[in-house]
Amino acid sequence: QVRLVESGGSVAQAGGSLRLSCAASGRSLSTFVMGWFRQSAAKEREFVAAISWRSEATNYADSTKARFTISRDIAENTVYLQINNLNPEDTATYYCAARSFGTVYATEASTYKWWGQGTRVTVSA
């Protein structure tokens, strides 16, 4: 079993930055792919970014690649999502997800087995 706990969500102003964290526990993550998704009231859950724990290969949605950076810290067993130049369209609940195999290029939520509870980001204009 894998437990994922997100943190870092808050209310922020447009143009600012946030760093979201996802602390993982329960299993070795050496073969894992870790992902971030987001869901707003107006949209279905959408892929944001993914990272391979072993190789650090990354993949981003077209809408996020310019301002978002995913990274991981092996010592802390934590995945991060840095969001720069926030805009109101980034308002959503952000979810951390994990699966134990595969590549960063599978972006469907259904390919991920474990999910965190989400952290809320609200961006004011």
Side-chain angles (χ1 to χ4, degrees), residues 50-89:
I51 187 167
S52 165
W53 195 264
R54 173 176 289 167
S55 70
E56 286 192 285
T58 59
N59 185 36
Y60 295 89
D62 288 341
S63 60
T64 63
K65 63 178 59 177
R67 298 181 295 111
F68 290 53
T69 302
I70 189 171
S71 62
R72 61 101 171 96
D73 185 320
I74 292 178
E76 297 293 328
N77 242 32
T78 299
V79 177
Y80 300 100
L81 184 70
Q82 176 74 32
I83 311 174
N84 296 324
N85 194 21
L86 286 158
N87 63 60
E89 289 68 40

Side-chain angles (χ1 to χ4, degrees), residues 37-52:
F37 289 76
R38 65 183 179 183
Q39 186 166 17
S40 64
K43 296 182 180 180
E44 294 184 353
R45 190 168 298 192
E46 63 173 345
F47 172 77
V48 172
I51 187 167
S52 165

Side-chain angles (χ1 to χ4, degrees), residues 5-50:
V5 179
E6 301 99 329
S7 61
S10 69
V11 178
Q13 288 193 328
S17 298
L18 282 177
R19 188 176 79 160
L20 309 182
S21 301
C22 171
S25 61
R27 281 181 58 177
S28 169
L29 302 179
S30 60
T31 65
F32 275 48
V33 173
M34 307 295 293
W36 283 98
F37 289 76
R38 65 183 179 183
Q39 186 166 17
S40 64
K43 296 182 180 180
E44 294 184 353
R45 190 168 298 192
E46 63 173 345
F47 172 77
V48 172

